[in-house]
Amino acid sequence: MKVWTDLSEIPGDEKSVVTIGNFDGMHNGHRRVVASCVERARKRGVDAVAITFDPHPTQVHRPEVNLQLISPLRDRLDAMASCGLDATLVEHYDQSVYTLEPEDFVTEFLVDRLGAVEVVVGEDFRFGAHNLGTIDTLRALGRTYGFDVVMVTDIQAPEGRRWSSSWVRELLTEGDVAGAARVLGHLHRIRGTVEHGFKRGRSLGFPTANLRGGIEGVVPADGVYAGWVVRTVPGTQSAEFLPAAISVGTNPQFDGVERTVEAHVLGRSDLNLYGEKIAVTFVSRIREMMTFDSLDELLFQMDNDLLKTASVLGIAVANRVDPDSVTAV
């Protein structure tokens, strides 16, 4: 999938079926819209193209909300590419975009640059200055400028709730990463750079890769999770998936105050991830965050966490490592 970051990068002879949206998290509802765009583009023999925005409009218009995107832009684009899109325009969302009148947006983006023959959108689609443009507006402009408009109706989960980004956020706030994965259609993932910590885990046989500030993506509720650390193998473009027990919280056992994500890669004492940007993927919540009356109780529980993590991930059981064998410095 080609990724354009400016209208000037789009070839002048482009013909396409276009879909437009923020696609935060690329959940099942988004996937249905994008899949429809791809299907209709294939029938017409033109490119399937999406327009998405960075930063998210809420981050621009309501900064006080402090909206954290469900997934980093990189993962959003990967998910969009997996749906079969030929290209995506990542448009920088600023005043030059949100002050465009609906007709100006249509002519500048859809007609002049993308050569839209059809536009596919969801039921709640709005566009143009002050969100004045509706689907009816888009249809009227389509008749003027020669493109069709297709509205994809909302789909619902078996329990009758609409697939949505807000639902994903609710589930992550509750620590239900498995439920979030069902709504998303894929496992939830965050990204960050590994930093030095207090190295308490190392001394106990549980060395961890620590993420603190600058984490991209919504961090789920405090607790212990089974999941994967995903890193790029040095010197290659290949991804390495490492099974991990993941702790999210302030480490109340040691009176911590800063919320961190700490991932212990099962059975590994030879990793040096400091300074690497990694992804942490959540599969299932093992337990809530707890404090214990003694170090022995803590170690007993952590050993049990390793057993549960191995069971969830379907891998061989790995015990805590020898602290003296840890190679990271």
Side-chain angles (χ1 to χ4, degrees):
M1 182 183 77
K2 293 175 288 189
V3 177
W4 300 312
T5 58
D6 190 88
L7 284 173
S8 63
E9 299 173 6
I10 302 172
D13 59 350
E14 184 69 31
K15 292 294 182 184
S16 61
V17 173
V18 184
T19 187
I20 310 167
N22 295 309
F23 303 115
D24 185 21
M26 267 301 288
H27 56 65
N28 286 324
H30 294 145
R31 288 175 179 275
R32 178 171 180 178
V33 173
V34 173
S36 179
C37 173
V38 172
E39 179 184 3
R40 301 184 79 85
R42 298 294 176 265
K43 289 179 179 179
R44 286 180 174 261
V46 298
D47 286 341
V49 178
I51 301 174
T52 192
F53 304 97
D54 184 51
H56 192 288
T58 298
Q59 294 173 319
V60 174
H61 296 297
R62 300 175 60 199
E64 72 280 0
V65 173
N66 194 28
L67 178 72
Q68 186 78 8
L69 295 180
I70 293 171
S71 304
L73 177 61
R74 171 181 171 181
D75 292 323
R76 190 194 332 169
L77 292 174
D78 284 348
M80 293 170 76
S82 73
C83 293
L85 286 168
D86 297 296
T88 292
L89 170 64
V90 182
E91 178 63 24
H92 181 68
Y93 189 80
D94 58 17
Q95 188 174 15
S96 67
V97 175
Y98 63 72
T99 57
L100 285 173
E101 294 299 321
E103 184 169 4
D104 294 332
F105 177 86
V106 164
T107 56
E108 185 172 336
F109 284 83
L110 302 182
V111 179
D112 294 344
R113 299 307 305 180
L114 290 174
V117 297
E118 194 167 326
V119 180
V120 180
V121 293
E123 283 187 52
D124 57 354
F125 178 71
R126 303 296 292 264
F127 71 108
H130 309 293
N131 274 340
L132 292 178
T134 65
I135 291 177
D136 287 339
T137 309
L138 188 63
R139 285 175 173 147
L141 290 167
R143 289 191 290 270
T144 299
Y145 291 101
F147 60 83
D148 296 326
V149 176
V150 174
M151 183 184 72
V152 179
T153 57
D154 287 340
I155 57 172
Q156 295 182 339
E159 57 265 56
R161 182 167 180 177
R162 173 178 175 266
W163 304 111
S164 68
S165 298
S166 59
W167 190 7
V168 174
R169 294 175 188 281
E170 288 176 20
L171 292 167
L172 293 175
T173 299
E174 297 165 359
D176 186 1
V177 294
R182 186 173 67 87
V183 179
L184 288 167
H186 55 86
L187 296 174
H188 178 59
R189 175 180 292 183
I190 63 172
R191 293 183 183 271
T193 300
V194 178
E195 302 180 5
H196 287 274
F198 294 105
K199 298 182 172 61
R200 297 191 188 100
R202 173 190 300 200
S203 66
L204 300 174
F206 299 91
T208 58
N210 304 319
L211 306 182
R212 286 186 174 80
I215 296 175
E216 300 176 78
V218 174
V219 177
D222 291 1
V224 177
Y225 299 83
W228 303 89
V229 166
V230 187
R231 68 186 296 230
T232 301
V233 179
T236 75
Q237 295 298 314
S238 301
E240 182 179 17
F241 289 76
L242 305 169
I246 307 156
S247 174
V248 176
T250 59
N251 207 339
Q253 186 72 30
F254 298 98
D255 300 320
V257 294
E258 184 180 10
R259 194 164 186 252
T260 62
V261 177
E262 302 180 28
H264 168 68
V265 177
L266 273 63
R268 297 290 295 272
S269 61
D270 60 327
L271 293 170
N272 186 352
L273 301 177
Y274 292 127
E276 284 193 31
K277 189 162 187 178
I278 64 170
V280 176
T281 300
F282 298 86
V283 175
S284 180
R285 195 183 196 198
I286 300 300
R287 62 173 173 88
E288 63 184 15
M289 188 57 65
M290 304 163 62
T291 56
F292 301 88
D293 294 332
S294 69
L295 181 59
D296 285 341
E297 288 185 20
L298 171 63
L299 290 173
F300 177 83
Q301 181 60 61
M302 293 174 75
D303 286 336
N304 194 44
D305 293 340
L306 295 187
L307 294 174
K308 289 184 177 180
T309 297
S311 176
V312 168
L313 300 180
I315 63 169
V317 173
N319 298 318
R320 69 179 86 158
V321 304
D322 178 359
D324 293 332
S325 69
V326 178
T327 57
V329 295

